[in-house]
Amino acid sequence: MGLRDYIIKRIIVVIPTIVALSLITFTIMHLAPGGPLDYYLAENPLMGRDPLRVETLKERMGLNKPIWEQYLIWVRNILSGNLGWSFHSGEDVTRMILGKLNKTATLMVISLTISLLIAIPLGVTSAVKQYSKIDNLMMFFSLFGTSMPGFWFALMLIFTFAVGLGWVPTSGTHTLGMSYPTVLHEMLDRGRYLILPVVTLSLGRLAQLSRLTRSSMLDVLKQDYITTARAKGLSETIVIYKHALRNALLPVITVVGLNIGFLFAGSATIETIFAWPGLGKFMVDNIYKRDYPAIMGSTMLIAVTVITANLITDIVYAYLDPRIRY
Amino acid sequence: MKDFKKRLLILCISVVMAFGSYAAATAMLVQAQETEEVFFTISLKAPLGNMVREQVGALLAEELPKIGIGIELEYHDFATLLSQSEVGASMGKTAAEGGVDMFLMGMSPDSTDPVGLTSWFHSKYLRPEGNNAWRYFDPELDRLLELGETLVDQGEREEIYWRIMEIVKENAFVIELYYPVQFAARSTIMENADMWYGPGYGTWQIRQWTIAGKTEADDTTAIYAMSTEIRNIIETLSELTYDRNVHNVMFDALIQHEWTLMDEDYRRPMPNLAESWDISDDGLTYTFHLRDDVKWHDGEPFDSSDAKFTFDAILDPETAAADAVYWRENVESVEAPDPYTVVVNFKRIFPAAWELILRRSIMPEHILSDIPHSEWFTSSYNTGGDLLPGTGPYRLVEWQKDDYFQFEAYDDYHMGRPFIDNFFIRIIPDASVGLAALEAGEVQLLPTSYYIPTEYDRLMANEDLVLQTAVPLYAQQLHINAEHPILRNVWVRRAISAAIPREHIAQDLADGWAEPASQFVSPARTWAFNPDLEVTPYDLDTAREYMEKAGFDYEWLETVEVTKASPLVPAAAGLVVGLAAGAILTYILRKPK
């Protein structure tokens, strides 16, 4: 089938996937023992003294209705663009998510970019000079990067560079109470706060991506067309970067695309440590507090993101490699 | 092909061997396990999130079998455990039925006046309608609790509540373990900032803060760290301790927020928005004379209509206001006969009126009157879309959710502008990072929620910091389902209490950061603390005596295996699966291509 048919087919499948996801999430969420009021009660036992208030709150949260009815109400709301309001703080869920999306996205995009900018040349060098000192160093380093717990490393960085040396701030997004004369000042200030979280996040990803690039390059360099290119008399640089790398990057891009969903969830620890008000910590907190509308809203956001990322990856792959279109 | 088959055969054999060795290992483990002699086994549930408490759970699981009580220990998160305790309390279900047998948690009344204890111990206040999580019914306890709410004489009330504490301890349906001790920390440059009282400050205290070496003319900033975002900024809707960190700087009440906990002055509140008041002879009418020089942060003048508006909102069930129950049960109505007089008419004499009723902050009528009460929770003024004006010493200038609050000193504050010009509250969720921020000078004040006992010595050595040990406000307790078929026997419960090594918990598990508890409440929390009650000593012989009184005979112990699920079953299943897999694979390979 042609590319166009393939795309259409893939897009059609998206809709039942999202519906199924929402149904499963909703069910599991309600199956988990305890509800939003149980958490509130834990924080404030005095609330137990006021059953009328508890009942009013329950009524307002719609918790008295049967689960299927609650689901249908949620669906009806989301179709009109309303994700509901948070049980915990009363804030509109859409607004909450948008407010945090920006912060997580900044962190993710910057750390991913840096990871790729370092990982790809590193992986290429390792593959080209296989078993050399650089290669061994990189292998050791990537093992270190993958095995090290992120939050421990983050704390070590904070205590060494922020408390001990005072070169960077410990946590937060920007200096409180500062007025910025220009945009450049603001960017510089915020940039300082980005350093430690980005370093922590990039390191883990760096290890994985550089190894992937390396093994992918090694595979590609063994191919016949590489030998042909060399036989044609092309310089080694062109062979590596123009012919080999392009093909070697395909798996790397696939992995990055597939991992985008995990970028949101995996950032929860880093966001907690660096007091970065992002989506990762937001989601984890909501689950703990049983904040149903917020959980549904953020889960749907991740679902849509992952599905879109996968869709784009699949389409790009199909475009590049006609064998994939079935 | 033969080579390939040989390799696969080896693979199959390895799989079988793997399963086989697993089976053998678990079988040996089962043999090696000590079988404990217990009369019965009960479930003990502990919430996650507090390392010392989790260790206490493990400790009890080891200690109680020594007197013949087997323990099945489970850890759950808060919401799960609370919903189970609700089932246990409201429906009387044991752990096997989806409720609880015993669980660990720290609970405490929320006020200095022990009138709140009624909702804990009275028989009609079972969870979720109240806090009674134990289903222990005692007419004497009910009678005393009701009496304590109605009497006025301090001496008489003290006697009653001390007796209540004694009865609770004697019947051991909630067993006190230890009072956790915490510390708060601040920079030495912050002066006059006492941190021992959580939430740490109020409108009175925050105005006393100064910065060393700076004068009024300098631009000063103080930053306070908080570990979680607040729930509601409209004070009427919230009573949470950490929400008060924000409320107590931007809003005022008729009287000052601060409640010196064990000071006799608790009965003589300090004036704030009300400069004086009269109480009628029958004690049912409180007439407050308000100041005429108070302005809201947006310039609107404050008057009695704001107070009446706020109090009427509390009385309206649609608002779902915090502590509304105390208002509904005790307040008849509120009137504002003239712009600077507010009259609160009580239905009956309520001794805790100052602490639980009259301390609510006043909200701006000119802002909130257009919003129906039921929509206050979701309104933009509560969620940060719009900034709510208050009358307090600090004006809210910016609120970035989960990030920070920014306050500016209010020049026209009726009691005088505070010293510190800019006040920030930063939200730092992780305790270690909070300490790091304090050490790096990024925050100046750390409340007790950031305390990490292992860091104490290191922080004490830091000359730029001042540490304050906070008096413990609550106790960690062991809660028992008093209708459990076995635990309903008071001697069994007393035996459990006598088998708990409280000193060891305080000194070793908590590393000295705890004190063994003598009763349900902590001495700093309320004057209902009975000074004559002693910490129950750890004595296994006494515990065994109590068990015998309960009717258990140590000579007739039946042997029960502590591990319920025998690992032999999964081991055997593994072996069978391995063999089957091996057989199937070998068969598949025999088929001619």
Side-chain angles (χ1 to χ4, degrees):
Chain A
M1 76 167 73
L3 183 65
R4 202 196 54 175
D5 293 333
Y6 177 72
I7 293 178
I8 290 175
K9 187 171 180 222
R10 288 290 281 114
I11 290 180
I12 290 176
V13 169
V14 162
I15 297 166
T17 316
I18 292 188
V19 170
L21 259 161
S22 72
L23 205 53
I24 293 174
T25 314
F26 201 85
T27 316
I28 292 183
M29 197 175 69
H30 278 272
L31 279 177
L37 289 170
D38 287 304
Y39 184 79
Y40 198 168
L41 217 81
E43 292 183 314
N44 175 40
L46 218 63
M47 207 174 81
R49 180 83 168 76
D50 195 345
L52 178 58
R53 181 174 181 228
V54 173
E55 205 42 54
T56 314
L57 289 174
K58 255 186 151 170
E59 189 67 46
R60 215 164 278 167
M61 295 180 189
L63 294 175
N64 288 331
K65 304 199 176 75
I67 295 186
W68 60 264
E69 196 179 332
Q70 292 185 46
Y71 178 69
L72 288 175
I73 292 176
W74 179 81
V75 170
R76 194 188 58 200
N77 283 338
I78 202 177
L79 287 175
S80 50
N82 174 21
L83 282 173
W85 45 266
S86 155
F87 287 167
H88 187 73
S89 68
E91 197 178 355
D92 181 47
V93 174
T94 321
R95 188 164 164 265
M96 280 175 107
I97 290 179
L98 288 177
K100 300 191 181 323
L101 190 60
N102 166 39
K103 307 241 166 53
T104 300
T106 317
L107 209 54
M108 288 309 140
V109 166
I110 294 182
S111 54
L112 193 58
T113 311
I114 291 184
S115 301
L116 285 171
L117 283 176
I118 301 179
I120 292 174
L122 211 60
V124 167
T125 319
S126 283
V128 166
K129 302 199 175 118
Q130 201 181 7
Y131 304 128
S132 69
K133 265 198 288 236
I134 288 185
D135 185 26
N136 286 329
L137 203 67
M138 198 223 78
M139 300 298 267
F140 166 76
F141 161 73
S142 62
L143 185 65
F144 179 74
T146 357
S147 5
M148 187 182 53
F151 73 87
W152 174 85
F153 188 61
L155 284 173
M156 287 299 115
L157 284 178
I158 291 177
F159 276 97
T160 315
F161 292 101
V163 182
L165 292 168
W167 291 352
V168 279
T170 62
S171 54
T173 50
H174 64 284
T175 315
L176 294 178
M178 249 181 45
S179 46
Y180 303 111
T182 67
V183 174
L184 186 63
H185 278 94
E186 186 174 355
M187 279 178 58
L188 282 175
D189 184 51
R190 284 181 185 267
R192 283 181 65 226
Y193 283 79
L194 271 170
I195 296 176
L196 288 187
V198 164
V199 166
T200 316
L201 275 172
S202 313
L203 227 60
R205 202 127 294 135
L206 195 68
Q208 181 198 31
L209 290 173
S210 56
R211 277 196 88 116
L212 187 59
T213 311
R214 177 185 178 272
S215 59
S216 178
M217 271 300 274
L218 284 174
D219 278 342
V220 165
L221 286 174
K222 292 196 181 87
Q223 299 289 329
D224 291 336
Y225 59 86
I226 298 295
T227 325
T228 316
R230 287 203 181 108
K232 276 163 67 177
L234 294 170
S235 76
E236 195 61 14
T237 321
I238 293 184
V239 168
I240 294 175
Y241 285 99
K242 188 165 172 220
H243 293 284
L245 187 59
R246 271 209 194 146
N247 294 302
L249 276 183
L250 275 176
V252 177
I253 290 176
T254 315
V255 165
V256 168
L258 290 173
N259 275 344
I260 291 202
F262 292 110
L263 288 182
F264 289 104
S267 67
T269 358
I270 303 296
E271 285 175 4
T272 307
I273 301 234
F274 288 103
W276 196 269
L279 274 178
K281 175 168 190 300
F282 175 69
M283 277 180 36
V284 171
D285 280 348
N286 291 336
I287 294 172
Y288 197 65
K289 292 174 194 160
R290 309 286 198 271
D291 192 344
Y292 296 152
I295 294 176
M296 286 304 288
S298 33
T299 313
M300 284 298 107
L301 169 71
I302 292 192
V304 166
T305 314
V306 171
I307 288 176
T308 313
N310 282 0
L311 188 62
I312 294 178
T313 314
D314 280 348
I315 291 176
V316 167
Y317 223 94
Y319 169 72
L320 291 172
D321 189 350
R323 294 175 295 180
I324 304 293
R325 308 171 204 166
Y326 50 83
Chain B
M1 199 38 68
K2 251 194 171 170
D3 188 35
F4 177 63
K5 269 208 248 176
K6 205 162 67 169
R7 277 196 219 151
L8 262 153
L9 199 60
I10 294 173
L11 179 65
C12 296
I13 294 175
S14 327
V15 165
V16 167
M17 279 179 61
F19 277 113
S21 42
Y22 167 66
T26 40
M28 286 196 293
L29 258 171
V30 168
Q31 296 264 343
Q33 235 155 21
E34 288 175 45
T35 54
E36 292 180 4
E37 300 173 327
V38 293
F39 294 113
F40 53 85
T41 306
I42 43 182
S43 127
L44 170 65
K45 299 190 185 187
L48 294 163
N50 180 328
M51 226 175 54
V52 174
R53 187 170 53 199
E54 290 172 24
Q55 288 172 340
V56 170
L59 176 70
L60 291 177
E62 267 176 45
E63 287 291 319
L64 293 178
K66 294 181 188 170
I67 58 169
I69 301 178
I71 296 284
E72 236 180 71
L73 180 60
E74 279 172 43
Y75 293 106
H76 292 294
D77 74 358
F78 256 107
T80 309
L81 184 50
L82 273 169
S83 70
Q84 286 172 348
S85 91
E86 195 178 296
V87 165
S90 60
M91 301 199 259
K93 296 201 170 183
T94 63
E97 298 159 351
V100 287
D101 293 341
M102 305 201 300
F103 65 96
L104 291 172
M105 208 169 278
M107 296 186 182
S108 158
D110 210 26
S111 58
T112 310
D113 194 299
V115 70
L117 288 174
T118 310
S119 77
W120 290 91
F121 298 126
H122 198 289
S123 54
K124 64 173 186 180
Y125 285 108
L126 295 174
R127 278 253 160 93
E129 277 74 41
N131 295 112
N132 188 329
W134 316 287
R135 296 187 73 85
Y136 176 75
F137 307 122
D138 185 342
E140 174 66 8
L141 209 50
D142 286 354
R143 184 188 76 84
L144 287 171
L145 286 165
E146 287 161 19
L147 197 53
E149 280 198 21
T150 56
L151 293 180
V152 186
D153 179 62
Q154 179 63 11
E156 286 176 19
R157 294 186 78 211
E158 215 168 63
E159 259 183 55
I160 289 181
Y161 282 108
W162 286 8
R163 176 77 191 117
I164 289 176
M165 285 293 110
E166 210 183 336
I167 296 179
V168 168
K169 189 181 162 84
E170 272 168 17
N171 290 288
F173 52 90
V174 52
I175 299 178
E176 64 288 338
L177 300 174
Y178 61 95
Y179 305 122
V181 175
Q182 298 173 326
F183 66 81
R186 69 175 195 273
S187 250
T188 34
I189 59 168
M190 287 297 309
E191 294 178 337
N192 303 308
D194 227 348
M195 294 294 293
W196 66 269
Y197 170 64
Y201 49 79
T203 49
W204 171 263
Q205 224 224 350
I206 198 170
R207 291 182 316 112
Q208 320 296 326
W209 293 357
T210 52
I211 303 240
K214 302 266 183 175
T215 64
E216 294 262 2
D218 298 311
D219 191 51
T220 46
T221 305
I223 306 182
Y224 178 88
M226 212 161 91
S227 56
T228 176
E229 177 57 87
I230 69 169
R231 216 175 220 261
N232 294 304
I233 202 169
I234 296 182
E235 197 264 3
T236 316
L237 298 174
S238 173
E239 68 284 77
L240 296 171
T241 327
Y242 50 85
D243 283 14
R244 289 197 194 129
N245 285 328
V246 171
H247 301 154
N248 284 5
V249 298
M250 39 186 297
F251 300 119
D252 292 294
L254 296 176
I255 54 179
Q256 290 290 351
H257 295 125
E258 280 87 341
W259 217 245
T260 47
L261 291 175
M262 288 307 283
D263 192 326
E264 276 134 55
D265 279 311
Y266 83 91
R267 261 168 299 146
R268 290 199 297 272
M270 296 188 278
N272 190 345
L273 291 175
E275 44 187 11
S276 66
W277 48 83
D278 312 308
I279 306 178
S280 64
D281 291 329
D282 61 4
L284 295 178
T285 312
Y286 284 58
T287 309
F288 295 94
H289 306 288
L290 307 178
R291 297 178 72 116
D292 59 4
D293 58 349
V294 181
K295 284 212 282 282
W296 293 97
H297 291 152
D298 59 0
E300 281 286 314
F302 159 84
D303 63 26
S304 60
S305 62
D306 291 304
K308 176 161 165 58
F309 169 74
T310 309
F311 296 154
D312 283 341
I314 300 179
L315 286 168
D316 179 8
E318 280 295 301
T319 320
D323 293 343
V325 63
Y326 289 115
W327 280 76
R328 263 199 323 274
E329 289 180 357
N330 298 292
V331 175
E332 183 70 54
S333 64
V334 178
E335 292 149 24
D338 67 62
Y340 299 109
T341 312
V342 174
V343 181
V344 179
N345 300 307
F346 281 83
K347 290 182 196 170
R348 55 171 191 154
I349 302 221
F350 185 55
W354 287 113
E355 193 178 358
L356 294 173
I357 295 184
L358 297 168
R359 217 175 25 139
R360 307 305 309 190
S361 296
I362 310 292
M363 295 295 109
E365 187 215 4
H366 63 283
I367 303 273
L368 294 176
S369 59
D370 287 332
I371 307 175
H373 289 154
S374 54
E375 287 169 30
W376 279 21
F377 183 55
T378 48
S379 77
S380 61
Y381 283 101
N382 192 35
T383 60
D386 290 303
L387 299 173
L388 194 59
T391 56
Y394 283 96
R395 184 170 66 92
L396 181 62
V397 167
E398 201 183 341
W399 180 14
Q400 292 292 339
K401 286 289 192 123
D402 282 297
D403 204 352
Y404 65 93
F405 291 83
Q406 181 175 359
F407 298 96
E408 247 174 38
Y410 181 42
D411 292 321
D412 295 327
Y413 187 57
H414 55 276
M415 288 194 150
R417 186 184 189 282
F419 182 93
I420 303 215
D421 303 293
N422 304 296
F423 178 61
F424 290 91
I425 298 181
R426 264 193 70 187
I427 295 177
I428 304 183
D430 187 83
S432 324
V433 177
L435 285 175
L438 179 68
E439 289 181 76
E442 292 172 17
V443 303
Q444 284 79 45
L445 299 147
L446 273 194
T448 54
S449 49
Y450 287 95
Y451 100 110
I452 300 180
T454 43
E455 296 295 300
Y456 186 72
D457 293 325
R458 190 175 68 84
L459 292 170
M460 280 293 274
N462 187 333
E463 280 170 7
D464 295 324
L465 303 179
V466 175
L467 298 186
Q468 259 177 295
T469 315
V471 279
L473 285 178
Y474 69 100
Q476 291 284 355
Q477 300 117 350
L478 175 64
H479 303 266
I480 301 186
N481 180 348
E483 266 191 1
H484 184 278
I486 301 173
L487 296 170
R488 67 180 348 155
N489 187 321
V490 67
W491 289 109
V492 173
R493 302 198 296 266
R494 288 180 183 154
I496 293 177
S497 183
I500 300 178
R502 292 174 179 81
E503 280 291 341
H504 168 68
I505 293 177
Q507 289 310 314
D508 302 318
L509 291 188
D511 216 26
W513 286 93
E515 284 165 22
S518 64
Q519 56 199 272
F520 181 76
V521 291
S522 93
R525 176 68 270 185
T526 164
W527 48 260
F529 179 83
N530 184 335
D532 302 322
L533 295 176
E534 312 242 321
V535 177
T536 309
Y538 171 60
D539 189 343
L540 289 179
D541 294 321
T542 314
R544 290 197 188 101
E545 266 175 48
Y546 290 159
M547 287 294 280
E548 281 169 357
K549 279 214 176 98
F552 292 97
D553 190 344
Y554 282 93
E555 289 174 10
W556 283 76
L557 271 190
E558 56 181 26
T559 310
V560 169
E561 299 229 332
V562 175
T563 47
K564 290 282 168 175
S566 163
L568 278 174
V569 171
L575 193 59
V576 166
V577 167
L579 282 169
I584 291 172
L585 273 167
T586 326
Y587 173 69
I588 289 174
L589 291 168
R590 287 227 185 83
K591 281 182 92 161
K593 289 283 176 201

